[in-house]
Amino acid sequence: MKAVIQRINYAKLSVNGELVSQCGAGFLVLVGFTHNDDKKIVDYVVDRVCKMRLFRDENGKTNKTLKDVNGEVMVVSNFTLYANTATNRRPDFSKAAKYDVAYPLYEYALSVFRAQLGNIATGVFGEHMHIEMSNDGPVMIIVEKNNDNKAD
């Protein structure tokens, strides 16, 4: 599983021109899955994201978590995180999990995010989405774990 965390001021997600989801200051988290991911990996990555200290404390250091700052989160599925661009100019997406693996893991990830953070904003799995957002920083962090490596 791979998650790209972007610290944001806000995010709005629409499908076919219709606003579907939005959140205020916090994280926009893009998540992608590969073939051998499982719930244990999802638990690890979601926990890392939720406890990532990317917000400034009173000394200007990035020591605060989403919960510490009452931040919001939007979680969006993004299979293109597993694009392989090493061999061709057209990305190879063969490392991205197929629907029957990715969709249940995405739904499970959403449940783990909700268990840790409460209400969350979400994307629409498999849809062409438009995201309007304002980066804060910009700060962008990649968290990754799979059965082939130990951690990010």
Side-chain angles (χ1 to χ4, degrees):
M1 178 180 178
K2 195 178 290 189
V4 176
I5 306 166
Q6 296 179 78
R7 192 175 67 189
I8 59 169
N9 297 306
Y10 73 89
K12 296 178 181 181
L13 184 141
S14 60
V15 174
N16 296 321
E18 186 174 324
L19 181 65
V20 172
S21 189
Q22 62 185 344
C23 73
F27 291 160
L28 169 62
V29 183
L30 305 175
V31 296
F33 305 93
T34 192
H35 309 292
N36 58 355
D37 286 344
D38 57 26
K39 288 181 176 181
K40 185 176 177 182
I41 287 172
V42 172
D43 289 338
Y44 173 87
V45 172
V46 172
D47 188 65
R48 296 283 294 190
V49 170
C50 291
K51 294 177 180 171
M52 192 68 56
R53 299 181 313 173
L54 295 178
F55 298 94
R56 290 188 179 100
D57 64 14
E58 54 283 348
N59 297 315
K61 302 287 184 188
T62 53
N63 281 325
K64 292 192 174 191
T65 67
L66 271 171
K67 280 189 175 184
D68 295 335
V69 299
N70 294 314
E72 298 182 26
V73 67
M74 177 182 286
V75 181
V76 178
S77 63
N78 188 335
F79 78 95
T80 64
L81 295 179
Y82 278 97
N84 179 356
T85 60
T87 57
N88 295 309
R89 298 210 186 272
R90 182 179 182 276
D92 171 15
F93 298 108
S94 62
K95 291 187 179 183
K98 302 283 187 237
Y99 177 90
D100 61 327
V101 172
Y103 182 70
L105 288 173
Y106 176 66
E107 288 295 317
Y108 180 70
L110 295 180
S111 72
V112 178
F113 272 107
R114 286 183 182 110
Q116 290 206 29
L117 301 172
N119 191 32
I120 64 169
T122 66
V124 181
F125 189 91
E127 290 290 332
H128 184 95
M129 298 169 273
H130 293 267
I131 302 171
E132 172 189 328
M133 56 103 171
S134 169
N135 271 317
D136 180 19
V139 172
M140 188 178 297
I141 305 291
I142 299 171
V143 178
E144 181 174 15
K145 181 168 178 63
N146 60 48
N147 284 320
D148 297 332
N149 66 12
K150 294 191 188 265
D152 53 328

